[in-house]
RNA sequence: GUGGACGUAGCUCAGCUGGUAGAGCACCCGGUUGUGGUCCGGGAUGUCGCGGGUUCGAGCCCCGUCGUUCACCCCA
């Protein structure tokens, strides 16, 4: 009986050949700069106690209040599929006592995250992010390094049409002083109900509203940037100096809004120009109160999350990554069972020395196998038959030049 | 979550005012005996997303549902 076709759950991003190859490339590009800078891997669970995100990310955020995949497990615990990486990373740092060693703690991670939003291109219910965290250092230089690492990842992919937006959310005193004036200002605005309620939760959201009339009304709103304390300002100025010295261009966006409550001080976002509404390809910032909030010591931190799915979309939009197929060093065509024994042995040996070797399986015609070799992108082909088995020598055909050269089985490795 | 568009072979799509499906690409085989890329010939492939309804008859009409997509919202 034929079963019903089962589809993947709504809104998940998945990658299969040939595109999975590009996904892999993009992800590696994004991770590599962190490894080169001494960040170390952490592998963390995709589900955590719900409480972690409520306290870490913030109950008032949309992410926590309406986008989490939360369920009760068999032990009656409330569990949530991670909607972001920083809270879990902090939890792990505290739990494993990493903060008792040398500072800063520099870690990187990569994996899937979950948010129950309405899907759209570049916005998925399960998506991929790579991230890093540098914990336990107030030095503005680490802010600059973190930003530079993210930028290096995008550059490694070959992305050009993106820009970096930068701002500072200041420290607690800065925000407190700004809030007074800001609330006074928006009290003078005539807002519809939905907007007003959103504003009640996080007033800064208004800066992000795309409606022209709201944008117009917000032109004269007091900017947090103008309320920075001396220490916050000095820190931010120094970050800019370091970025300038590294040749990383950015634009100040004092109206930038982040959806996670833990951000403080230096905050940034990478925006791609060709991506439509879901244009943020990465973002991050300082979260100086997070560790303590989660029951650890009072250590500051900064990190980022980069969207692998969106970076891939951006790369495709810019046309910067080649769709080059799998390329092997050698394609072996065995003729008959005896030849297959030999082919398997040769392939195993060559692979151990790092050669990429493919074999023609099944009983296709020689012509069909040659076509398969051609399409696979193999650089060289050998045909194994009775003659080769007895003589232990064979013709290596170079697929781009069409030239064949005769080699013995022992010198095959060198001939490739 | 709100509003709009779309859903036909693996892919991109066509299908006239309703009469039980087509193209290109890809794929497979062959063009004589063990060597590919071009060319020629041949071939396989679709519960027309799914479920109802209207009709003598629906891929084309109606309703529902699932999925995708665009904008809002949100953000990676």
């Amino acid at each position: 009986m034929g079963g019903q076709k089962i589809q993947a759950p709504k809104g998940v991003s998945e990658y299969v050949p040939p595109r999975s190859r590009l996904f892999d490339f993009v992800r590696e590009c994004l991770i590599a700069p962190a490894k080169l800078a001494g960040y170390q891997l952490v592998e963390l669970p995709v589900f955590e106690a719900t409480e972690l995100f409520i306290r870490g990310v913030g109950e008032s955020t949309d992410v926590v209040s309406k986008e989490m995949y939360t369920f009760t497990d068999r032990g009656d615990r409330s569990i949530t599929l991670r909607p972001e990486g920083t809270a879990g990373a902090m939890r792990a740092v505290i739990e494993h006592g990493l903060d008792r060693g040398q500072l800063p703690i520099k870690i990187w991670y990569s994996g899937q995250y979950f948010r129950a939003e309405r899907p759209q291109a570049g916005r998925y219910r399960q998506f991929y992010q790579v991230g890093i965290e540098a914990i336990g250092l107030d030095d503005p230089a680490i802010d600059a390094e973190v930003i530079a690492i993210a930028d290096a990842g995008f550059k490694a992919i070959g992305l050009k049409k993106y820009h970096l937006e930068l701002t500072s959310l200041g420290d607690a005193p800065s925000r407190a002083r700004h809030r007074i004036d800001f609330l006074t200002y928006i009290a003078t605005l005539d807002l519809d109900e939905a907007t007003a309620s959103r504003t009640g939760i996080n007033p800064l959201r208004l800066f992000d509203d795309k409606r022209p009339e709201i944008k117009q009304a917000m032109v004269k709103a007091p900017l947090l940037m103008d309320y920075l304390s001396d220490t916050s300002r000095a820190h931010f100025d120094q970050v800019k100096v370091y970025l300038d010295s590294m040749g990383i261009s950015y634009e100040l966006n004092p109206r930038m809004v982040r959806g996670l409550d833990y951000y403080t001080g230096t905050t940034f976002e990478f925006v791609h120009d060709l991506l439509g509404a879901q244009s943020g390809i990465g973002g991050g910032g300082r979260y100086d109160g997070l560790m303590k909030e989660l029951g650890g010591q009072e250590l500051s931190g900064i990190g980022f999350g980069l969207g692998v799915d969106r970076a891939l979309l951006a790369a495709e939009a810019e046309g910067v990554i080649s769709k080059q197929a799998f390329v092997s060093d050698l394609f072996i065509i065995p003729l008959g069972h005896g030849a297959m024994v030999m082919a398997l042995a040769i392939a195993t040996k060559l692979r151990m020395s790092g050669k990429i070797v493919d074999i023609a399986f099944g009983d296709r015609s020689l012509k069909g196998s040659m076509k398969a070799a051609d399409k696979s992108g193999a650089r060289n082909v050998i045909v194994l038959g009775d003659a080769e088995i007895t003589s232990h020598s064979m013709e290596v055909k170079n697929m781009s030049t069409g030239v064949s050269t005769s080699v013995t089985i022992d010198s095959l490795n060198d001939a490739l």
Side-chain angles (χ1 to χ4, degrees):
Chain A
M1 28 197 234
Q4 282 276 315
K5 265 189 206 167
I6 298 175
Q7 292 177 290
K10 182 188 180 90
V12 301
S13 65
E14 47 185 2
Y15 300 93
V16 299
R19 199 157 94 107
S20 55
R21 183 184 178 74
L22 304 180
F23 175 84
D24 188 43
F25 169 77
V26 166
R27 183 172 51 186
E28 285 308 312
C29 285
L30 294 177
I31 292 170
K35 291 184 186 172
L36 294 174
Y39 287 72
Q40 294 187 282
L41 173 68
V42 291
E43 281 291 354
L44 304 175
V46 297
F47 57 89
E48 296 269 6
T50 302
E51 178 69 14
L52 173 66
F53 302 114
I54 292 176
R55 269 161 63 188
V57 179
E59 195 156 20
S60 73
T61 62
D62 281 25
V63 169
V64 170
S65 65
K66 52 190 196 197
E67 295 173 0
M68 294 208 300
Y69 278 100
T70 297
F71 61 96
T72 302
D73 75 2
R74 291 171 187 241
D76 241 14
R77 290 169 281 252
S78 180
I79 296 292
T80 293
L81 263 28
R82 37 137 92 145
E84 59 91 55
T86 302
M90 288 305 112
R91 190 228 85 223
V93 165
I94 296 166
E95 190 164 334
H96 296 280
L98 264 40
D99 54 331
R100 301 163 110 193
Q102 198 180 56
L103 299 177
I105 303 144
K106 303 206 296 183
I107 53 178
W108 71 268
Y109 49 84
S110 165
Q112 42 278 81
Y113 296 84
F114 309 84
R115 256 119 98 159
E117 301 179 272
R118 179 125 165 206
Q120 212 174 310
R123 184 170 79 181
Y124 307 108
R125 270 134 92 126
Q126 172 176 304
F127 58 99
Y128 293 82
Q129 240 178 262
V130 306
I132 72 172
E133 312 291 345
I135 302 146
L137 214 58
D138 284 322
D139 192 341
I142 195 78
D143 298 29
E145 180 185 83
V146 165
I147 292 171
I149 288 169
D151 190 57
F154 294 130
K155 286 205 169 78
I157 296 167
L159 260 29
K160 290 194 168 56
K161 296 176 182 168
Y162 69 92
H163 59 276
L164 166 60
E165 297 185 3
L166 191 64
T167 191
S168 174
L169 266 29
D171 50 20
S174 309
R175 287 200 299 279
R177 282 191 294 119
H178 169 259
R179 189 179 170 87
I180 296 169
D181 287 358
F182 188 73
L183 290 178
T184 305
Y185 178 81
I186 60 173
T188 67
L189 302 178
D190 183 26
L191 302 172
D192 62 272
E193 201 176 319
T195 310
S197 85
R198 252 187 290 136
T199 304
I201 296 167
N202 181 356
L204 295 177
R205 276 287 168 64
L206 273 184
F207 278 127
D208 220 16
D209 205 301
K210 286 171 187 167
R211 288 170 297 185
E213 64 272 22
I214 302 289
K215 281 191 163 181
Q216 181 59 35
M218 291 302 286
V219 167
K220 289 186 192 147
L223 299 172
L224 181 46
M225 189 70 94
D226 297 326
Y227 289 74
L228 294 187
S229 64
D230 290 346
T231 49
S232 285
R233 173 154 301 290
H235 182 102
F236 189 54
D237 286 344
Q238 194 57 39
V239 172
K240 288 188 282 188
V241 168
Y242 287 134
L243 288 176
D244 290 339
S245 72
M246 284 188 285
I248 294 176
S249 55
Y250 53 83
E251 41 197 78
L252 295 178
N253 178 4
R255 290 153 193 279
M256 191 197 322
V257 177
R258 306 250 66 212
L260 281 18
D261 276 356
Y262 52 64
Y263 285 116
T264 61
T266 309
T267 307
F268 57 92
E269 204 168 285
F270 287 86
V271 180
H272 197 267
D273 306 330
L274 271 36
L275 250 32
Q278 310 304 323
S279 58
I281 52 176
R286 284 208 156 263
Y287 41 82
D288 291 347
L290 183 56
M291 272 276 274
K292 189 166 185 210
E293 176 62 39
L294 295 177
Q297 14 172 354
E298 188 159 3
L299 289 180
S300 63
I302 180 166
F304 64 59
L306 310 181
V308 184
D309 311 89
R310 289 187 187 175
L312 172 57
L313 253 19
E316 288 171 328
E318 285 197 47
V320 292
I321 45 181
S322 71
K323 296 211 168 145
Q324 190 183 37
F326 171 76
V327 173
S328 66
D329 297 306
L330 178 68
F331 194 96
I332 304 175
I333 301 176
L335 267 23
H337 296 302
M340 181 56 88
V341 171
M342 191 175 181
L344 257 9
I346 291 175
T348 302
K349 198 173 165 198
L350 289 174
R351 286 170 188 158
M352 276 195 281
S353 63
K355 292 291 192 297
I356 303 170
V357 182
D358 207 350
I359 299 177
F361 294 102
D363 39 36
R364 306 180 84 177
S365 66
L366 176 60
K367 179 170 179 167
S369 295
M370 282 303 293
K371 281 190 175 181
D374 187 39
K375 281 171 199 152
S376 81
R379 273 190 273 275
N380 299 287
V381 170
I382 59 174
V383 174
L384 258 32
D386 294 339
E388 286 79 8
I389 293 173
T390 51
S391 70
H392 282 265
S393 73
M394 57 209 67
E395 298 282 308
V396 176
K397 178 166 183 174
N398 181 308
M399 291 300 273
S400 52
T401 63
V403 177
S404 293
T405 49
S406 183
V407 301
T408 65
I409 188 166
D410 295 321
S411 59
L412 180 56
N413 193 3
D414 301 326
L416 297 177

